[in-house]
Amino acid sequence: MVSKTRDKLIEVARQLFAYKGVENTTMNDIAAASDKGRRTIYIYFKNKREIYNAVVERQSDVVISRLRAVVDSEKPPMEKLVAYLMLRFDILSETAPKHERHRLIFSRDHRRMERIQRLALAKERELFSVLLKQGIAEGVFDSEQARRLTSFLTVTFTGVDSCQLQGAFELNGLQIEDVRDNLIKFVTEGIKKQPN
């Protein structure tokens, strides 16, 4: 019961933060939307900042668990790499605002999205490293290219995330699917171990 109530409060807060923005969401809003009293909220969280931190951590954990499922799968390394990159783009598309009105709301709350990304980034780098080591061990990935790829993708995805959240792809006449497909092709061709 305790964890269900806490989980419900986190989910309600997440939805309100996404819709209204963190600054415009009050503890009363969370209490009303969750059908709980303010006193119940204060059993689990000292203040809105703690709820905000729980929302960020939860969203970060969801991203990492989905990526971990790909890394832990039985697929061959190259298929895992493609699936991982596809999922990474899909996750961003799912969390990025779809409508202009929501884009404006999210841009006010851009710090929350950046914080989720930062929190997930260290875990994601570690997870991606496991994937690359598997490919190197199986002789599929070039070890030098794999070493370069981790920092390349960190910077690349930071840029892709930012462009997606700001709507920069559309402003520049780019389709996210084309960007994704070109990046995946570039990465998979570049990391392949070449015959001697």
Side-chain angles (χ1 to χ4, degrees):
M1 178 70 174
V2 170
S3 101
K4 283 185 181 181
T5 301
R6 187 176 191 280
D7 288 346
K8 181 176 183 177
L9 292 170
I10 292 170
E11 179 55 24
V12 166
R14 184 193 67 77
Q15 291 174 16
L16 288 170
F17 292 162
Y19 183 72
K20 294 178 75 171
V22 175
E23 311 83 32
N24 298 322
T25 301
T26 66
M27 294 297 266
N28 286 335
D29 293 334
I30 297 168
S34 63
D35 295 324
K36 304 288 180 194
R38 281 176 54 104
R39 290 173 66 182
T40 302
I41 294 174
Y42 286 111
I43 291 171
Y44 300 99
F45 304 100
K46 291 180 188 171
N47 51 42
K48 187 169 70 170
R49 172 66 51 195
E50 275 194 11
I51 297 174
Y52 169 82
N53 289 338
V55 167
V56 168
E57 189 173 325
R58 173 77 47 86
Q59 288 184 277
S60 170
D61 289 345
V62 167
V63 168
I64 294 304
S65 68
R66 290 177 69 189
L67 293 170
R68 181 172 284 115
V70 171
V71 173
D72 293 344
S73 72
E74 297 297 320
K75 294 178 181 181
M78 193 60 80
E79 284 182 36
K80 278 187 195 185
L81 178 60
V82 170
Y84 185 98
L85 296 173
M86 292 284 285
L87 179 58
R88 183 62 174 74
F89 271 92
D90 289 347
I91 288 169
L92 178 64
S93 295
E94 292 165 10
T95 58
K98 303 283 188 280
H99 306 293
E100 193 61 35
R101 181 168 184 261
H102 288 126
R103 180 173 289 131
L104 293 173
I105 291 168
F106 267 85
S107 67
R108 283 193 310 229
D109 196 20
H110 189 69
R111 287 178 301 193
R112 180 174 66 90
M113 296 307 293
E114 287 177 342
R115 188 151 180 248
I116 292 165
Q117 292 164 357
R118 278 195 309 272
L119 190 59
L121 193 58
K123 297 175 190 173
E124 185 179 349
R125 272 195 300 257
E126 187 178 309
L127 196 55
F128 193 67
S129 176
V130 169
L131 189 156
L132 293 176
K133 286 176 184 174
Q134 291 170 353
I136 292 167
E138 292 188 30
V140 177
F141 299 158
D142 178 271
S143 61
E144 188 59 27
Q145 291 292 75
R147 184 188 63 74
R148 292 181 183 122
L149 185 58
T150 302
S151 58
F152 170 77
L153 282 181
T154 298
V155 172
T156 299
F157 275 124
T158 300
V160 167
D161 291 351
S162 180
C163 287
Q164 180 78 351
L165 288 170
Q166 295 173 18
F169 289 122
E170 295 87 7
L171 289 173
N172 290 299
L174 299 171
Q175 297 294 318
I176 187 68
E177 295 81 12
D178 293 339
V179 172
R180 178 199 63 208
D181 294 346
N182 287 330
L183 178 70
I184 291 171
K185 185 167 183 146
F186 180 79
V187 167
T188 54
E189 289 298 315
I191 199 169
K192 252 187 240 177
K193 188 165 187 170
Q194 301 300 319
N196 292 331

